[in-house]
Coordinates of all heavy atoms in Angstrom, one line a residue:
F93 N 19.3 2.5 9.7 CA 20.3 1.5 9.2 C 20.7 0.6 10.4 O 20.8 -0.6 10.3 CB 21.5 2.1 8.6 CG 21.3 2.8 7.2 CD1 20.0 3.2 6.8 CD2 22.3 3.0 6.4 CE1 19.8 3.8 5.6 CE2 22.2 3.5 5.1 CZ 20.9 3.9 4.7
D136 N 25.9 5.7 1.9 CA 24.4 5.7 2.0 C 24.1 6.0 3.4 O 24.7 5.4 4.3 CB 23.9 4.3 1.5 CG 22.4 4.3 1.2 OD1 21.7 5.2 1.7 OD2 22.0 3.4 0.5
C137 N 23.2 6.9 3.7 CA 22.8 7.2 5.1 C 21.3 7.5 5.2 O 20.7 8.0 4.3 CB 23.6 8.5 5.5 SG 23.4 9.0 7.2
D147 N 16.5 9.2 3.3 CA 17.5 8.2 2.8 C 18.2 8.8 1.6 O 17.5 9.2 0.7 CB 16.7 6.9 2.5 CG 17.5 5.7 2.0 OD1 18.7 5.7 2.2 OD2 16.9 4.8 1.4
A148 N 19.5 8.8 1.6 CA 20.2 9.4 0.5 C 21.6 8.8 0.4 O 22.1 8.2 1.4 CB 20.3 10.9 0.6
A149 N 22.2 8.9 -0.8 CA 23.6 8.3 -1.0 C 24.4 9.2 -1.9 O 23.8 9.8 -2.8 CB 23.5 6.9 -1.5
H210 N 12.6 2.9 -3.8 CA 11.4 2.5 -2.9 C 10.6 3.6 -2.4 O 11.2 4.7 -2.3 CB 12.0 1.7 -1.8 CG 13.1 2.3 -1.1 ND1 12.9 3.2 0.0 CD2 14.5 2.4 -1.3 CE1 14.1 3.7 0.4 NE2 15.1 3.2 -0.4
M216 N 11.7 2.9 6.3 CA 12.6 3.2 5.2 C 12.2 2.6 3.9 O 12.3 3.2 2.8 CB 14.0 2.7 5.6 CG 15.1 3.0 4.6 SD 16.7 2.8 5.3 CE 16.8 1.2 5.9
E243 N 17.4 5.7 -6.6 CA 18.8 5.4 -6.3 C 19.4 4.5 -7.4 O 19.5 3.3 -7.3 CB 18.9 4.7 -4.9 CG 17.9 3.6 -4.6 CD 18.2 3.1 -3.1 OE1 19.4 3.0 -2.8 OE2 17.3 2.9 -2.4
H273 N 26.8 4.7 -6.7 CA 25.5 4.7 -6.2 C 25.1 6.1 -5.7 O 25.8 6.7 -4.9 CB 25.4 3.7 -5.0 CG 24.1 3.7 -4.3 ND1 24.0 3.5 -2.9 CD2 22.8 3.8 -4.7 CE1 22.7 3.6 -2.5 NE2 22.0 3.7 -3.6
E275 N 21.6 8.7 -4.5 CA 20.2 8.5 -4.0 C 19.7 9.8 -3.4 O 20.5 10.5 -2.7 CB 20.1 7.4 -3.0 CG 18.7 7.2 -2.4 CD 18.7 6.1 -1.4 OE1 19.7 5.8 -0.8 OE2 17.6 5.6 -1.1
Ligands
MG223 MG1 19.9 4.6 0.9

Side-chain angles (χ1 to χ4, degrees):
F93 288 23
D136 194 341
C137 184
D147 183 14
H210 47 88
M216 185 161 55
E243 46 181 318
H273 173 218
E275 178 180 24

